[in-house]
Amino acid sequence: MHSDKVLDAKGLACPMPIVKTRKAMNDLQTGQVLEIHVTDKGAKADLAAWSRSGGHELVEMAEENDILKFWIRKGC
Amino acid sequence: MTIKQMTAAEVSKKLNNKTDLFILDVRNESDFNDWKIEGKNFKFLNIPYFDLLDGVEEILDQIPAKKEILVVCAKEGSSVMVAEMLSEAGLDVFYLKGGMKAWSEHLEPVKIGELTNGGEIYQFVRLGKGCLSYMVISNGEAAIIDSTRMIDAYLDFADGIGVKITHVLDTHLHADHISGGRRIAERTNAAYWLPPKDAAEVTFEYQPLESGKGITVGHTAIDIQSLYSPGHTIGSTSFVVDQKYLLSGDILFIDSIGRPDLAGLAEDWVGDLRETLYIRYRELSDDLIVLPSHFMIIDELNEDGSVAKKLGALFADNHGLNIVDETEFRELVTGNLPPQPNAYQEIRETNMGKIEPDDEKQREMEIGPNRCAVR
């Protein structure tokens, strides 16, 4: 899956994955995709809910070993 | 202004004392809707922490200045962040130590009553998940029934009052929480009892809870023989303690009845459930005090924080015991069941000893409410 930027948020506990994701997303243009790697399991539901509430699209999610990967497309 | 920690035990006290508390739950909406702290005089506002990253100004008018304010999240981190923001905005606030994770694991011991010859029975109320477990104490010995995985709560309690745990029992193979029974038995050299019909696949040694066997704790006999009570599982067994208390497992609750589907056999077991509730239990004394393994809603708690009611009262009021028509009963317990508990298959396998998830995984498997009942 294509991404325009990768954010490594592994090892960070809530609320940091969302705080970092939000900051990284500010540097992207509408339509661009941010790839995020986290290990905090709580991020699964929270990133999905945050994307919805912020008008972004959670395009894909994958789990590799203990790392959760998200691809979020920036909305307007 | 100030930020203070509030422990799960302190929240329990407020709940039992019916104290006012304003809870700002900053988890995401679906987690909040699925499962939250509930209390008679608790008020709620759910705003996910990620909607507050730019500040709390917009929600200040929704927070009462005169009440105690508790910020709650899943583990603690986000609630501390939001508490700091509220404090900067001029409020005195608390955050929940350890978050919902700690709330889910807190056990509150409540004395239920006395037994013949000086014994006592305690109920351990797991407010965050609705699980109830028991300690029967008599003459320096104790039996533990339907224990949770937080085994230190029981071991410390027994130590504190100077009694030796001699028996550990599970009324059935649980699907909604991980039993601590086997580990307590290992730590204390107590006997671990399980109904053999639920234990067909277990990987460890156990004592079969069968008809004809009685268990004695100090001076108190726990009569097992007459109460094989299938329906929630095929092996479900109820205990009468001291001819006064009916430990009903997941068969009968205060305001609901057990569901028969968690081992995958709703259609097969619905008949057993009906027979247990409408025939076997009807033969028992109305004066028995029913002590179930769960409660479903906070309204089931008595004034003193216990969950208990006379069998006669349940025959009068519990909807599940008053469905005359068998077809209608079948429809209730098989047709419109609530969602199954989180990770219930893995929980069953853990309780059989087939898998051994680490502590963090076990905690995660149990997150959320119990869902053993139909109503």
Side-chain angles (χ1 to χ4, degrees):
Chain A
M1 168 102 209
H2 162 81
S3 57
D4 297 286
K5 188 173 177 174
V6 178
L7 170 68
D8 179 3
K10 292 197 292 290
L12 297 177
C14 184
M16 291 319 290
I18 294 270
V19 172
K20 296 244 176 201
T21 297
R22 185 167 169 272
K23 199 153 171 274
M25 198 59 115
N26 285 339
D27 299 336
L28 294 185
Q29 306 293 320
T30 298
Q32 287 189 313
V33 174
L34 178 65
E35 179 178 339
I36 307 137
H37 299 177
V38 297
T39 46
D40 181 18
K41 292 217 165 58
K44 212 176 196 170
D46 283 2
L47 271 171
W50 173 81
S51 302
R52 259 197 315 278
S53 93
H56 309 298
E57 183 195 355
L58 176 57
V59 191
E60 200 176 315
M61 208 203 81
E63 204 163 344
E64 284 172 29
N65 300 318
D66 279 334
I67 301 169
L68 298 166
K69 296 184 176 180
F70 303 84
W71 287 264
I72 299 178
R73 180 174 290 126
K74 182 169 176 161
C76 353
Chain B
M1 302 297 272
T2 64
I3 303 175
K4 287 185 197 144
Q5 209 175 55
M6 193 182 289
T7 62
E10 289 165 337
V11 178
S12 300
K13 294 278 179 292
K14 290 185 189 296
L15 192 156
N16 284 337
N17 294 335
K18 303 190 176 54
T19 312
D20 281 349
L21 185 66
F22 185 84
I23 298 179
L24 173 62
D25 193 321
V26 298
R27 293 174 301 153
N28 70 62
E29 201 184 333
S30 62
D31 286 351
F32 174 79
N33 288 339
D34 192 36
W35 175 54
K36 63 175 183 286
I37 297 175
E38 289 178 82
K40 211 170 188 90
N41 293 318
F42 292 0
K43 298 272 183 292
F44 300 93
L45 177 63
N46 171 226
I47 309 273
Y49 65 91
F50 49 73
D51 287 344
L52 298 172
L53 295 175
D54 284 329
V56 292
E57 284 70 27
E58 285 179 23
I59 62 161
L60 287 177
D61 61 347
Q62 297 176 63
I63 298 176
K66 282 182 190 152
K67 278 190 186 166
E68 275 193 324
I69 300 158
L70 175 67
V71 189
V72 170
C73 71
K75 286 179 287 197
E76 186 178 292
S78 309
S79 66
V80 173
M81 179 185 76
V82 174
E84 278 166 0
M85 296 165 96
L86 290 170
S87 163
E88 279 163 27
L91 293 170
D92 288 323
V93 286
F94 292 86
Y95 67 89
L96 177 61
K97 185 186 181 190
M100 289 301 280
K101 193 164 90 172
W103 179 243
S104 172
E105 295 186 347
H106 176 69
L107 298 181
E108 189 76 10
V110 180
K111 185 171 168 179
I112 296 291
E114 314 280 341
L115 304 174
T116 315
N117 297 326
E120 297 174 314
I121 181 164
Y122 281 86
Q123 184 177 55
F124 285 73
V125 185
R126 187 179 181 183
L127 285 161
K129 201 173 160 67
C131 298
L132 303 167
S133 46
Y134 298 91
M135 192 180 288
V136 175
I137 300 158
S138 179
N139 198 34
E141 293 182 7
I144 297 173
I145 296 124
D146 286 334
S147 85
T148 66
R149 73 185 154 77
M150 283 73 77
I151 65 170
D152 288 340
Y154 311 98
L155 298 175
D156 293 349
F157 192 86
D159 266 358
I161 55 172
V163 298
K164 182 177 165 45
I165 298 167
T166 50
H167 296 282
V168 185
L169 305 91
D170 272 309
T171 53
H172 62 288
L173 189 84
H174 298 281
D176 67 299
H177 71 269
I178 295 165
S179 168
R182 185 163 40 112
R183 283 186 301 125
I184 293 175
E186 282 164 9
R187 285 270 287 274
T188 60
N189 284 321
Y192 180 40
W193 299 83
L194 263 182
K197 286 186 176 171
D198 280 4
E201 296 175 60
V202 305
T203 59
F204 47 82
E205 296 276 318
Y206 68 96
Q207 301 290 320
L209 269 174
E210 284 170 323
S211 297
K213 276 185 189 159
I215 291 180
T216 303
V217 184
H219 299 306
T220 303
I222 301 179
D223 177 8
I224 298 165
Q225 181 172 4
S226 57
L227 280 163
Y228 171 57
S229 50
H232 177 63
T233 62
I234 193 65
S236 288
T237 300
S238 310
F239 309 132
V240 171
V241 176
D242 203 29
Q243 298 183 338
K244 192 170 173 190
Y245 301 102
L246 172 62
L247 273 62
S248 59
D250 280 7
I251 290 293
L252 176 61
F253 308 109
I254 301 300
D255 192 39
S256 55
I257 58 175
R259 61 192 286 175
D261 65 313
L262 295 180
L265 294 165
E267 295 295 335
D268 291 359
W269 291 352
V270 60
D272 288 328
L273 181 64
R274 184 159 177 98
E275 195 178 325
T276 292
L277 292 176
Y278 285 75
I279 297 170
R280 288 186 177 93
Y281 271 16
R282 296 265 166 189
E283 291 165 2
L284 302 171
S285 161
D286 277 4
D287 286 331
L288 286 175
I289 295 167
V290 176
L291 298 170
S293 288
H294 290 105
F295 66 91
M296 200 159 97
I297 50 173
I298 211 76
D299 294 350
E300 292 178 53
L301 265 62
N302 298 324
E303 282 296 316
D304 63 355
S306 68
V307 180
K309 212 170 189 179
K310 281 200 174 169
L311 183 58
L314 298 192
F315 279 131
D317 297 336
N318 187 314
H319 172 66
L321 291 177
N322 287 289
I323 304 171
V324 181
D325 185 70
E326 190 160 346
T327 315
E328 194 187 317
F329 181 84
R330 280 181 174 268
E331 180 52 33
L332 172 78
V333 297
T334 62
N336 193 19
L337 290 166
Q340 283 153 329
N342 190 40
Y344 73 105
Q345 293 291 14
E346 285 169 289
I347 290 175
R348 293 181 73 245
E349 286 178 14
T350 307
N351 286 336
M352 290 181 206
K354 286 182 168 176
I355 55 172
E356 288 188 20
D358 61 32
D359 284 355
E360 194 50 45
K361 175 75 183 161
Q362 292 197 13
R363 181 173 287 142
E364 187 195 319
M365 283 157 64
E366 283 193 345
I367 280 297
N370 82 76
R371 291 199 172 108
C372 308
V374 288
R375 192 160 162 252

